[in-house]
Amino acid sequence: MTITINETSTEPASAALPGKRVQHREEVESTILREAVRLFAERGFEGTPIAEVAERAGLSKQNLMYYFPTKQALYKRVLDDVLDDWLARMASLADPDQDPADVLRAYVAAKLRFSREQPLASRVYAMEVIGGATMYGEQIRHRVVPLLRQDIAVFERWIADGRIAPVNATHLLFAVWAMTQSYADFSAQMALVLGRAELTAQDFEEAERVITAMVLSLTDQGNKHA
């Protein structure tokens, strides 16, 4: 896709009206972000030249930098979008008034759905964390940690009420994250082991059944202890 922009102006050529200007900007940003996610997922921040993102998006480097003045700004926007999507899917799951089994089942399903629908975004986030979260650590502290603590509090209440087995709730959630996110971050390895080009819908269905059964065993133990 090639985006035509007036090279002599910082404003898009089609921006004659405010509504069209906004729509055009959103379309161009969407194209830039789509290509940036692909490159950041393949090469990480350091290995991604901003000029190549521009080329893939059908822009000159100068025009890309009208929308994102630095590579850091583009990278942060990519990660912001990853967290916005992920946290929106997870925010309302740990409800203390629901049945623990239903919540755990929904939690696993939501995490696997994100891995299936947004594998490149998941890999960009994973690479940032593996690298020490040097550029995005503060955002993770302010946005992910509070939600995690809310979920932990719900799980600990269930444990105290005997609704699930006594378990370290923090490490329970770490385990769920690891099991589900690996289907995005390590999908290439899984596909190689399975002898196919990529994971299929059936693979994700099987993963959901297995992971859910493992996690729900805690609920069964809780019922036995109640």
Side-chain angles (χ1 to χ4, degrees), residues 1 16 59 72 80 90 111-112 115 119 121 127 130-131 133 138 142 153 166 175 178 193 204 219 223:
M1 175 179 178
L59 299 167
Q72 288 87 345
D80 284 344
M90 309 305 295
K111 290 291 281 93
L112 278 172
S115 291
M127 291 173 75
I130 289 168
E138 281 304 309
H142 290 304
V193 171
F204 280 92
T219 304
N223 289 336

Side-chain angles (χ1 to χ4, degrees), residues 61-80:
K61 180 178 176 180
Q62 174 188 354
N63 281 321
L64 182 147
M65 296 183 77
Y66 166 73
Y67 296 92
F68 299 98
T70 65
K71 185 166 76 168
Q72 288 87 345
L74 176 58
Y75 184 65
K76 181 180 181 297
R77 171 62 182 276
V78 167
L79 286 169
D80 284 344

Side-chain angles (χ1 to χ4, degrees), residues 161-166 218-226:
D161 292 343
R163 300 178 70 187
I164 63 173
L218 296 172
T219 304
D220 294 338
Q221 293 179 40
N223 289 336
K224 291 175 184 177
H225 285 90

Side-chain angles (χ1 to χ4, degrees), residues 169-187:
T170 303
H171 288 281
L172 169 63
L173 289 173
F174 286 166
V176 172
W177 288 5
M179 287 188 288
T180 53
Q181 287 174 221
S182 64
Y183 282 83
D185 305 337
F186 296 98
S187 62

